[in-house]
Amino acid sequence: MEYGISTLDAEINRQQLAERIARASTPKIPATAHRHLLAQRLRRLADRVDN
């Protein structure tokens, strides 16, 4: 199957747009939330070790 240059360009643009939409639609979690969750896990682990 042969594609013209414009057809390939259109397909590449469509795929890039789909990737952008997928990245934009994922919720952003701030780094502080990750640190907070990590701190919670470390505290739980420390409590288990102490007990």
Side-chain angles (χ1 to χ4, degrees):
M1 182 180 245
E2 288 188 30
Y3 290 104
I5 299 285
S6 61
T7 306
L8 288 176
D9 285 342
E11 180 65 20
I12 290 169
N13 289 337
R14 188 183 65 76
Q15 288 178 358
Q16 288 175 343
L17 184 60
E19 289 171 7
R20 279 182 172 167
I21 290 170
R23 279 195 304 267
S25 62
T26 58
K28 302 285 189 257
I29 300 173
T32 53
H34 287 293
R35 286 194 295 265
H36 180 70
L37 293 173
L38 177 61
Q40 278 182 338
R41 289 187 205 122
L42 289 173
R43 273 189 236 111
R44 285 188 207 131
L45 180 62
D47 288 342
R48 280 190 225 152
V49 170
D50 288 344
N51 292 331

